[in-house]
Amino acid sequence: MLKDTVKRLAKQYADEFINVRHHLHAHPELSYQEFETSKFVQQKLSTLGIPFDVMGQTGVIGLLQGKNPNKKVIALRADMDALPIREENNVPYKSRNDGVMHACGHDVHTSCLLGAAKILSELKDQWEGTIKLIFQPGEERNPGGASILIKEGALENPKPEAIFGLHVHPHLEVGNLSFREGKVMASADEIYITIKGPGGHAAAPHLTVDTILVASHLVVALQQIVSRNKSPFNPSVLSICSFQGGHTTNVIPSEVKLMGTFRAMDEDWRKKAHVLIRKQCTELADSMGASIDVHIDIGYPSVYNNESLHEKAITLAADFAGNSHIQTTELRMGAEDFGYYSQVIPGCFFRLGVGNVKKGISSGVHTPTFNIDESAIEVGMGIMAWLGASIQLKQQV
């Protein structure tokens, strides 16, 4: 059976791709600077005889054909960039680039997809269709490498009917996978507000525009955008995270800056909220005599897992890993640029368990002590290969 062969090869090649992970982990590169990582991926694909194109400067798009290449086209995606974090793990493969670390597991994602590519290449006479291997730059930073690759045609010629992506989950024990249909992760937009007015002596506030007071009212008023304008059954978050203004006790500053984030699970509400945020800011500032500049930096869209694709994927995953190893992914207000793909074609974004409490491997992503139980790589490369080879899409998702 194909499943048994995929599992056997994943086990056979696991050590090889754990070593690949060690190399990538030791040589992390920041978003849109993944030049050596990209060359490494290109070399691995060349060794496997898999043709590829380079897009977005460092993105690598491989194309692997099985029997009857036109029967289906599936995309498998991994991201490659690291974070500006100084690693605190004491391991032989610790980051050699000071202040840069694979603290979100993208080294694991890339290793799993390369491993899946090797398995699929070896078995290409046993599965049907075409598989696009998307090694993506810049997931951690706007505008998101996914958006760049899509603009450059990564989802064209041939156009995938569906796309899969996995992500490490340190709070899910190794050996487990988790899936969720529909809404999975939120959109993420950055808010930048500058409030201006004639400052002056704090003892004569009537001769000034109190920008501190305006900003304070605004921080409170903006909460009404979420609490009083959207359904309570539609998750959304607006947080002001930075309040910068003034330098002493007796001067009302002429300028105050606010920064924050807005998150949503619904794209229509997201657009409406942007209008309401600008309206609230402009009218409140005007009523208090201040001028205001509002900039909303549009970030990643929400991640939405196609229901039909989810059902097919979770059935295959349960067959591969066993029902007891399949869990439900929790709804998250964090963001992922996989959302760009899932807005264009049916997507399925799922979690790979990498934690091991008994071994003390439990640090969260984006922390300087994040690490994984590396037996997860065998699971990750196996499930990606199995999904790519086995998914059937003739009943349109």
Side-chain angles (χ1 to χ4, degrees), residues 55-304:
M55 294 184 178
Q57 288 194 303
T58 55
V60 184
I61 314 298
L63 199 64
L64 182 56
Q65 294 184 331
K67 298 184 299 182
N68 304 319
N70 295 325
K71 186 168 184 179
K72 67 178 182 184
V73 182
I74 301 297
L76 304 177
R77 173 265 200 171
D79 37 16
M80 303 185 294
D81 54 327
L83 288 159
I85 293 175
R86 179 170 287 105
E87 183 164 13
E88 295 180 5
N89 292 314
N90 185 19
V91 292
Y93 49 90
K94 182 177 180 178
S95 172
R96 299 178 189 174
N97 296 339
D98 189 41
V100 183
M101 178 190 174
H102 271 298
C104 200
H106 297 186
D107 54 335
V108 180
H109 306 165
T110 299
S111 300
C112 288
L113 187 52
L114 285 171
K118 182 166 184 172
I119 294 170
L120 290 166
S121 181
E122 189 164 326
L123 301 178
K124 60 186 177 183
D125 61 341
Q126 298 185 40
W127 55 271
E128 294 185 307
T130 296
I131 296 177
K132 272 193 167 181
L133 307 165
I134 299 178
F135 296 90
Q136 179 206 301
E139 189 281 324
E140 297 288 357
R141 184 178 170 191
N142 272 355
S147 69
I148 295 171
L149 294 188
I150 291 170
K151 288 177 182 177
E152 293 195 9
L155 297 184
E156 304 296 336
N157 303 317
K159 182 183 179 73
E161 301 163 67
I163 185 168
F164 293 95
L166 65 73
H167 199 292
V168 297
H169 191 342
H171 304 307
L172 183 65
E173 282 288 293
V174 67
N176 295 305
L177 301 162
S178 71
F179 293 79
R180 186 181 190 89
E181 66 179 333
K183 297 174 181 178
V184 181
M185 298 182 74
S187 61
D189 304 312
E190 297 175 356
I191 302 171
Y192 300 91
I193 300 168
T194 302
I195 300 160
K196 295 182 179 181
H201 202 292
H206 60 292
L207 301 178
T208 74
V209 170
D210 192 339
T211 52
I212 294 287
L213 184 61
V214 175
S216 299
H217 275 284
L218 189 56
V219 170
V220 174
L222 283 172
Q223 299 308 309
Q224 298 174 30
I225 300 292
V226 171
S227 67
R228 291 296 178 268
N229 289 278
K230 71 155 193 68
S231 165
F233 301 104
N234 179 12
S236 188
V237 172
L238 195 164
S239 295
I240 299 299
C241 304
S242 176
F243 192 127
Q244 303 172 29
H247 301 285
T248 188
T249 62
N250 61 350
V251 176
I252 293 174
S254 59
E255 182 176 285
V256 173
K257 291 181 178 291
L258 303 176
M259 294 189 291
T261 184
F262 174 71
R263 313 252 167 163
M265 288 284 185
D266 179 271
E267 292 298 311
D268 290 335
W269 157 245
R270 181 190 187 192
K271 294 172 185 175
K272 179 181 178 181
H274 291 175
V275 174
L276 292 173
I277 290 168
R278 292 189 178 96
K279 179 179 174 67
Q280 183 79 277
C281 289
T282 301
E283 294 186 358
L284 189 148
D286 183 63
S287 71
M288 299 183 73
S291 62
I292 193 166
D293 176 70
V294 182
H295 173 62
I296 301 176
D297 188 9
I298 308 298
Y300 305 164
S302 56
V303 176
Y304 190 90

Side-chain angles (χ1 to χ4, degrees), residues 77 165-167 184-185 303 305 336 338 347-351:
R77 173 265 200 171
L166 65 73
H167 199 292
V184 181
M185 298 182 74
V303 176
N305 279 348
E336 232 283 353
F338 189 87
C348 180
F349 189 68
F350 63 97
R351 301 282 173 172

